[in-house]
Amino acid sequence: NLSTEVAGVPLASYVLNASGPRCTSAEELKIVGESHSAAIMTKSCTILPREGNPEPRYQNLDLGSIQSMGLPNLGYKAYLEMIPTLKQHGKPVIVSVSGFSIEDNIEMVSAFQQSAVDLIEVNFSCPNIPGKAQVAYDFEQTEQALKAITALGDKPIGIKLAPYFDMSHFIAMADILKQYPVKFITCINSIGNSLVIDPETEQPIIKPKGGFGGLCGEYIKPVGLANVRAFRELLGDDVQIMGVGGINTGVDAFEYLLAGADAVQVATCFEKQGAACFERIETELAQFMAKKGYTSLEDAKGKLKPL
Ligand code: ORO
């Protein structure tokens, strides 16, 4: 039994799609709806529709990918209109919101607060908009934004965080989160401003920002695990955590469970393998847990053993 719950919303399994690949158009979201993904998560939306950054902007790598999509999306009003249709799949719908300012996020969160959406994930960590810093690396801005967006209604708000690499940053962010009614965090977004170089052509492999983009997939799993673990220890059980970063197999999901994740999200593996990955990862996780004699997620959640 892999059923779980995030911010009071029941999830039939531990595994859902991450905001990112294959969740921008109505057709793509329908495929997520028909898959084993425990919820339907949308691509991060902005006030107006966006084409995103110039191509090539996504490249597969052996152990993941690098991308600088630049938030291509249909604009938040299109997702607002889609919600009743998406809800017909009979699973929770989560909208991801990524405004370019506090005012943008207030406008979008207010609108989704009045909708039938189940959870709102506010993305503070897109690394790919030229000239725009990641909010999650600016603690003052994060605090101001949280103050504004957590006061707009009763639907649970979560924050998609950037990866942190220093204990002082984990502590600073956890202290801010504790001051506001943030119900969940999603850790981690891609490792921003990474650079992959093709030595043959002597060029970067993606075009935007001189080749700088978000590193994704298996490369970043240890960073994702550390971020989930650090925030689980700092936040206790008050804030739930969705783990994301390099989940390709049921055993990867189990590692996130040990670190303390309440659910996991899959991005790069979904991009590479399509929607069949959700059922496969779920089955592998169930089998691995059964082999260990665990009957529910609670048996292992957060129970990383000291060495
Ligand atoms: N890419 C990421 O890695 N994270 C985001 O939040 C958004 C994008 C993108 O659209 O470029």
Side-chain angles (χ1 to χ4, degrees), residues 19-20 43-44 50 52-53 57 66-73 96 98 123-129 134 160 188-192 213-216:
S19 185
K43 172 70 183 171
S44 293
R50 286 175 57 83
N53 289 338
R57 61 190 186 182
I66 184 170
Q67 48 72 31
S68 180
M69 305 303 290
L71 293 174
N73 78 93
S96 172
S98 192
N123 183 0
F124 279 6
S125 48
C126 175
N128 297 334
I129 305 300
Q134 292 167 78
K160 175 99 166 254
I188 56 176
N189 210 317
S190 61
I191 298 185
L215 185 67
C216 305

Side-chain angles (χ1 to χ4, degrees), residues 9-112:
V9 174
L11 298 176
S13 104
Y14 192 61
V15 186
L16 59 140
N17 75 300
S19 185
R22 299 181 189 261
C23 58
T24 302
S25 67
E27 301 77 62
E28 288 172 328
L29 291 163
K30 180 167 183 270
I31 292 169
V32 176
E34 289 166 351
S35 78
H36 265 246
S37 176
I40 305 173
M41 170 79 81
T42 72
K43 172 70 183 171
S44 293
C45 60
T46 50
I47 298 279
L48 296 173
R50 286 175 57 83
E51 294 282 349
N53 289 338
E55 292 181 343
R57 61 190 186 182
Y58 177 96
Q59 296 284 359
N60 282 326
L61 303 169
D62 288 349
L63 298 178
S65 61
I66 184 170
Q67 48 72 31
S68 180
M69 305 303 290
L71 293 174
N73 78 93
L74 305 177
Y76 82 97
K77 288 179 183 162
Y79 299 102
L80 208 51
E81 280 176 24
M82 264 183 235
I83 290 166
T85 313
L86 295 177
K87 287 288 290 180
Q88 287 173 7
H89 291 284
K91 56 174 92 169
V93 175
I94 310 175
V95 73
S96 172
V97 162
S98 192
F100 292 136
S101 64
I102 291 184
E103 292 71 32
D104 284 8
N105 282 331
I106 291 174
E107 176 176 337
M108 292 190 281
V109 170
S110 301
F112 286 113

Side-chain angles (χ1 to χ4, degrees), residues 191-266:
I191 298 185
N193 298 299
S194 303
L195 178 63
V196 175
I197 291 174
D198 180 341
E200 297 303 331
T201 64
E202 306 181 10
Q203 292 171 313
I205 67 170
I206 57 171
K207 189 169 182 69
K209 289 179 69 178
F212 282 48
L215 185 67
C216 305
E218 290 154 77
Y219 298 107
I220 75 170
K221 187 178 75 171
V223 179
L225 287 169
N227 275 255
V228 169
R229 184 68 184 162
F231 282 115
R232 172 56 70 224
E233 293 196 304
L234 289 164
L235 296 170
D237 291 331
D238 297 344
V239 180
Q240 288 186 290
I241 304 179
M242 302 227 242
V244 49
I247 297 161
N248 280 275
T249 68
V251 177
D252 296 326
F254 184 74
E255 292 169 10
Y256 272 92
L257 179 67
L258 287 175
D262 295 285
V264 293
Q265 303 179 359
V266 180

Side-chain angles (χ1 to χ4, degrees), residues 1-4 13-15 249-258 261-262 264 280-303:
N1 174 17
L2 296 183
S3 64
T4 181
S13 104
Y14 192 61
V15 186
T249 68
V251 177
D252 296 326
F254 184 74
E255 292 169 10
Y256 272 92
L257 179 67
L258 287 175
D262 295 285
V264 293
R280 177 183 57 74
I281 294 169
E282 196 186 311
T283 306
E284 289 169 358
L285 173 59
Q287 285 169 350
F288 191 73
M289 288 180 59
K291 202 172 79 187
K292 288 182 162 267
Y294 295 137
T295 55
S296 84
L297 294 168
E298 296 307 320
D299 291 344
K301 191 187 289 178
K303 294 190 176 159

